[in-house]
Amino acid sequence: MSQARASYEGVAIAAPVTVPYERTSNKPAQWWIGSALRGVIRHLGVQPADIDGLSVSSFTLAPDSAVSLTQHFGLSPRWLDHIPFGGASGLVGLRRAARAVQNGDAEIVVCIAGDTNQPGSFQDLLTNFSRFSQDAAYPYGAGGPNASFALLTDHYMRKYGATREDFGKLCVAQRSNALAFPHALMKKPLSLDEYLAGRLISDPITLFDCVMPCAGAEAFAVMREETAAALNVRHVRLLSAIERHNAFSTDPIQERGGWAVDQAELWSMAGITKDAVDFVQTYDDYPVISMMQFEDLGFCAKGEGPDFVRQHSFTTEGSFPHNTSGGQLSVGQAGAAGGSLGLVEAVRQLTGQALGNPVAGARIGLVSGFGMINYDRGLCSAAALLAVEGA
Amino acid sequence: MMTGIEKHKAQPPHRRSQAAGGLGVAAAQGRFALQVCQECEAVQYPPRDVCGVCLSEQLVWTDIPDGGDVLAVTMIRATGNPYFRELAPWRTGIVRLDCGPSVIAHLHGSCTSGDRARLSLKVDSAGNGVMFALPAVDLPEILADRQLQQFVCDPRSRTVFLLGANKPVGMTLARKLAEAGAARVLLVVDDPAEFAKLSQTGEGSEALEIVPRQEIDVGLSAKVAAASVDTVIALIETSDDLISSNAMRDEMHQRNIRIYNIFLPSPDTAAEAVATAAITALRQGVEDVFVGGAGQEFLQPSAQWPGLSAYDHKE
C-alpha cells in the first residue's frame, strides 16, 4: 500500500503567456521559447536572475536541450527540467515544478513548451518519433497521428456508437470559442454541415478532426502563494494533479487512458466532485480523445461519451464549457505547446485574464493532457484541478 | 491489357531497430515468427530487447499461430512520405493476434473490422519485414489485391532475370514463368551456344530470351535498367551461386527490384515439381525458397536474432 500523496497546498500558478502562433515559421524553437520566457518575466515584473527554475518541452529544439537554453537565455537556475512527453508535458512540468517550489528547490519555476514549424519539420518528427513507431507503425502507410487516431476512432465508433455528428458537435463548439480568441489560427466559423462535408484524411477522420501543425509557445510560472502575493500577481491554486504512463497496456486497442486509473484520487485530493467544475480543457488533437477524457475523468461512464456529448453544449456559455480558447483543433498545434495550451488558458480564465470569451464566474477548472503515440496508443495521461485564489 | 507491374521510384520507410531486423529474416523465408520469451512465454510485438512482461532478455524468434481479429481499419489518404503518397490511398488496420499482441498491419482488401484474419510477414521493397493481414480463408483471386501485389511476386506481366538458367531446372522454370504470364524472361547463362542447343527441343516461347553471363558481369545495372527488369530469380546450387546473388541484393533493393533465391534440391527431383514449388513461393513473396528442404547448409543460426537462421547477405 503506497502512502497518500502529499498535498499541493500553497502552490500558485501565474503569468499565463501564449506567444501568438504562426502557421509556419523561419524562427527556430529557441526563439519561440525565449519569447515566452520574456513574456513571463515581464508579466511577473522580475529580472531574469530571479528565475531559479526552468522547465522546457519541445520537439524541435535539437541539438539543444534545456541546459543549452540556460546559456542562450542568460539564466543560472538551480532547478532545471526537460520534459519530452508531448501532450502531457505541460501537466507533468506543472507537477514537478509544484514539488520543487513546495520543497524550496526553487522559488520561481518557469514552465515553457514551444516549437517551431518549418517545411519538413513535422515529417521529420513523424519519421523519427520513437523506436516502436519506426519499427511497427510508421512503415504502415506513414499516416502519422491521423492514422493512429483514425484506428482508435473507428473502433470507438463501432463499439460505443459515437457518430460523426457527435465529434462534429465538439469541433463546431470549439470553433465558436476560437472566433473570440485572438491567437486562434482558424478564424472562420464552422457549421456542422461544413464539418460533415470535410474531406477524408484517414477514414473515418476528416479534415476538421485534425489539428493544424504550427509554430508557437505557451508558458506559465509556478511558485509558492507567498511569492505570488509578494509579486502581486494574480494566480490560481493547484488542488490536485495526476499522471500515469502506459496504463491498461493489455487492452487490445486503446479505448481508455491512464486518467481512469487515477481519477478518483484527482477528485478526492481536491475534495470536490465533478459538479464543482466550471470548465474543462481536454487534450484535443482529435475529438475522440476528448470524448474518452470525459469518460475517464469521471464525467460519465465508459461508453457514455457520445450520449454525454448529445446532452451538453460546449461553448463558453454552454452547459459544459470546454476548450474555451478553441483548443488545438481551432487554435493550432504548436508541437509540444499543445500540451500546455489548455493549462495556460485555464490560468487565464481563473484569473480574469481571458483573451477570448470568459466563462462567467468560473472558480474551478479541470485541465487534462495526453501524449505520445509510441506505437498503437497514447502512453501519457495527466490531469489537474485548478481553483481561483480563496476557492 | 496490362503492360507491366506498378513501378515506384520512392522507397518505403526503411529505418528499423536492430531487433526488428528479425522480421525481415523470417519474412524472407516465408515464416510467421515473433520473439517469444523463454521465461514467461509472452509473445512480443513490436520487437524488443527485453520481455515486455518479465524483462527477461531470453527472447527467441519462434513460429507462432497467425490467427487474429481485425479490431480497426483505416484508409490513409494523406501522407508526407513519398512512397505512400504514390500508392495512396493505403489501407491499414489493427489485428489482435490470438497469441497476444496487437499488430498494425497492411490489410488485404477483403479484410474488414470484425473479421478473422491471418497475419503474414512479407518483405517490402526496401528489404524489411512487414505485417500483412490476409483473409482467414483462401480466396480464389487473393493475388489480385493491389496492396498485396507490393509484397509478392505474381509472375504476371513481369520482366524476370533468371540467373543460373543453365541449371537443370532453368528451362522448365522459365517456361512456367511464361505460362504464368511473365512478359519476358531473360535467361542468364554461362555459355549461350551450349544452352541454345539444350533448349532447341522445346517449343520456344517468344517471352524467353537468352543473355550471356559476361554481359551482366560487366554491366548488370545497365542491363537491368535497359531491359526494365522487375524481378531477379537466382537458382542456387553452390555457395558461388549464392555469393553472386547476394552481391546484387543491396543494389537491386535500391532500385526496388526483388531477388528471389531458389535453392535447388538434388538433381533427381523432377524439374516440374521444383518449378511449381518456386512459383508458389514467389506468389507468397518468399525470397528464400528452400525447395524440398534444399539449401539448409547455407544457413547459420543467427546470433543477432536467436531462433532464426540466416546467411550472410554481404559475403
Side-chain angles (χ1 to χ4, degrees):
Chain A
M1 189 69 200
S2 54
Q3 74 171 43
R5 204 191 291 262
S7 163
Y8 289 104
E9 198 166 355
V11 172
I13 310 162
V17 167
T18 298
V19 182
Y21 293 5
E22 292 173 12
R23 176 72 183 91
T24 58
S25 171
N26 55 16
K27 301 174 196 108
Q30 288 83 350
W31 184 91
W32 288 94
I33 294 169
S35 294
L37 175 64
R38 182 180 167 94
V40 171
I41 287 171
R42 280 187 175 168
H43 192 114
L44 295 177
V46 298
Q47 297 301 311
D50 297 320
I51 305 303
D52 60 351
L54 179 67
S55 173
V56 173
S57 183
S58 178
F59 288 113
T60 53
L61 197 52
D64 280 3
S65 70
V67 68
S68 317
L69 295 182
T70 64
Q71 191 169 38
H72 195 139
F73 300 157
L75 299 181
S76 181
R78 55 179 174 148
W79 186 95
L80 183 63
D81 205 355
H82 192 130
I83 303 180
F85 303 156
S89 297
L91 287 153
V92 171
L94 167 63
R95 283 161 46 83
R96 295 184 188 178
R99 293 311 189 196
V101 300
Q102 276 186 318
N103 291 307
D105 285 335
E107 192 70 24
I108 301 174
V109 178
V110 179
C111 299
I112 311 172
D115 270 297
T116 189
N117 186 38
Q118 293 168 344
S121 61
F122 187 66
Q123 196 57 34
D124 288 349
L125 175 64
L126 298 187
T127 316
N128 303 310
F129 195 73
S130 68
R131 167 173 154 177
F132 278 9
S133 171
Q134 216 164 61
D135 282 350
Y138 189 73
Y140 297 86
N146 294 331
S148 303
F149 277 93
L151 291 168
L152 305 188
T153 303
D154 176 57
H155 175 258
Y156 185 90
M157 287 175 80
R158 279 182 300 98
K159 182 157 180 185
Y160 295 118
T163 64
R164 300 258 304 116
E165 286 77 6
D166 297 330
F167 297 132
K169 184 174 179 180
L170 292 174
C171 297
V172 166
Q174 288 189 204
R175 182 61 60 87
S176 168
N177 291 342
L179 295 179
F181 185 73
H183 301 327
L185 290 182
M186 305 296 172
K187 299 191 180 297
K188 282 194 280 186
L190 177 68
S191 71
L192 186 59
D193 284 344
E194 286 166 325
Y195 168 88
L196 292 172
R199 75 183 156 88
L200 278 163
I201 301 293
S202 188
D203 311 11
I205 280 182
T206 61
L207 183 64
F208 299 108
D209 294 312
C210 303
V211 295
M212 180 181 279
C214 63
E218 301 276 350
F220 54 92
V222 180
M223 62 198 75
R224 286 176 295 114
E225 287 187 284
E226 291 85 345
T227 313
L231 293 171
N232 194 25
V233 290
R234 286 178 281 181
H235 63 274
V236 304
R237 296 167 53 232
L238 178 58
L239 299 182
S240 61
I242 54 171
E243 173 181 341
R244 181 67 62 175
H245 305 279
N246 194 30
F248 307 118
S249 63
T250 58
D251 283 0
I253 184 169
Q254 186 162 45
E255 57 182 59
R256 53 184 172 166
W259 311 283
V261 179
D262 303 291
Q263 57 101 353
E265 192 185 4
L266 181 73
W267 297 109
S268 66
M269 189 175 181
I272 59 171
T273 67
K274 64 184 196 303
D275 300 327
V277 169
D278 297 302
F279 62 79
V280 171
Q281 315 284 358
T282 63
Y283 190 82
D284 66 321
D285 50 355
Y286 298 84
V288 70
I289 198 66
S290 292
M291 212 178 273
M292 282 190 206
Q293 284 162 86
F294 297 155
E295 296 170 343
D296 297 343
L297 288 162
F299 292 100
C300 60
K302 180 50 64 187
E304 290 177 2
D307 202 44
F308 183 84
V309 168
R310 290 164 204 158
Q311 305 290 324
H312 281 282
S313 52
F314 297 91
T315 62
T316 44
E317 303 84 33
S319 61
F320 192 86
H322 173 238
N323 291 353
T324 52
S325 66
Q328 296 181 76
L329 283 168
S330 279
V331 180
Q333 181 178 58
S340 291
L341 177 149
L343 180 48
V344 169
E345 168 66 6
V347 176
R348 279 193 297 253
Q349 285 284 351
L350 293 171
T351 52
Q353 303 177 83
L355 297 173
N357 289 332
V359 176
R363 294 176 58 77
I364 293 179
L366 188 152
V367 184
S368 176
F370 180 67
M372 309 305 280
I373 304 240
N374 186 61
Y375 163 48
D376 63 334
R377 63 193 70 200
L379 295 188
C380 312
S381 57
L385 282 162
L386 310 180
V388 296
E389 291 173 62
Chain B
M1 183 188 131
M2 263 176 86
T3 54
I5 59 158
E6 255 186 295
K7 281 265 204 156
H8 303 283
K9 287 190 235 46
Q11 283 280 353
H14 64 278
R15 238 175 286 174
R16 297 291 193 279
S17 69
Q18 178 181 291
L23 297 171
V25 177
Q29 297 170 16
R31 295 172 57 186
F32 187 68
L34 291 179
Q35 294 166 306
V36 174
C37 176
Q38 299 305 287
E39 294 189 41
C40 78
E41 298 180 349
V43 179
Q44 317 285 320
Y45 191 80
R48 287 183 165 83
D49 296 321
V50 296
C51 173
V53 175
C54 76
L55 301 177
S56 167
E57 72 274 28
Q58 302 298 317
L59 303 179
V60 174
W61 290 83
T62 310
D63 291 327
I64 55 158
D66 60 4
D69 296 309
V70 182
L71 299 184
V73 171
T74 187
M75 180 75 90
I76 298 169
R77 298 168 192 276
T79 172
N81 175 271
Y83 174 79
F84 284 110
R85 204 183 298 135
E86 281 182 50
L87 288 168
W90 189 262
R91 211 157 152 274
T92 68
I94 292 184
V95 178
R96 172 71 159 188
L97 278 170
D98 299 335
C99 59
S102 291
V103 173
I104 297 175
H106 303 300
L107 290 189
H108 189 273
S110 63
C111 290
T112 54
S113 294
D115 281 1
R116 291 287 296 165
R118 277 179 300 144
L119 274 179
S120 62
L121 279 168
K122 303 291 184 203
V123 185
D124 74 10
S125 57
N128 282 304
V130 294
M131 291 284 188
F132 196 99
L134 296 163
V137 284
D138 260 323
L139 302 172
E141 286 301 313
I142 197 160
L143 277 181
D145 184 71
R146 172 181 159 269
Q147 293 195 180
L148 183 58
Q149 282 178 359
Q150 298 301 318
F151 304 101
V152 300
C153 180
D154 183 359
R156 191 178 307 278
S157 304
R158 285 182 190 256
T159 297
V160 180
F161 236 47
L162 186 57
L163 302 178
N166 48 308
K167 297 181 195 303
V169 179
M171 201 59 196
T172 310
L173 179 56
R175 289 215 179 88
K176 282 257 179 209
L177 288 166
E179 278 166 33
R184 285 169 82 198
V185 183
L186 306 175
L187 297 101
V188 181
V189 296
D190 297 335
D191 183 347
E194 186 70 12
F195 187 75
K197 264 187 272 165
L198 282 175
S199 54
Q200 287 294 314
T201 51
E203 65 285 13
S205 158
E206 48 287 8
L208 307 189
E209 181 184 322
I210 291 169
V211 178
R213 173 85 213 182
Q214 305 94 284
E215 224 178 273
I216 68 158
D217 284 344
V218 293
L220 172 68
S221 291
K223 185 69 188 172
V224 161
S228 296
V229 167
D230 310 303
T231 305
V232 177
I233 297 175
L235 298 179
I236 311 287
E237 271 178 328
T238 67
S239 55
D240 281 353
D241 297 336
L242 185 58
I243 288 165
S244 68
S245 159
N246 286 344
M248 295 181 199
R249 197 173 274 255
D250 285 347
E251 191 185 342
M252 292 300 113
H253 271 158
Q254 278 162 29
R255 297 168 167 269
N256 278 352
I257 294 168
R258 303 270 296 268
I259 298 190
Y260 296 86
N261 287 329
I262 315 292
F263 292 87
L264 298 177
S266 61
D268 50 345
T269 312
E272 189 82 6
V274 175
T276 302
I279 286 179
T280 302
L282 293 178
R283 285 178 168 151
Q284 292 168 350
V286 178
E287 283 197 344
D288 292 323
V289 187
F290 304 105
V291 181
Q296 299 294 328
E297 67 273 20
F298 297 112
L299 296 177
Q300 299 292 326
S302 163
Q304 210 170 3
W305 303 294
L308 296 175
S309 292
Y311 49 78
D312 186 354
H313 277 188
K314 310 253 177 188
E315 202 162 342

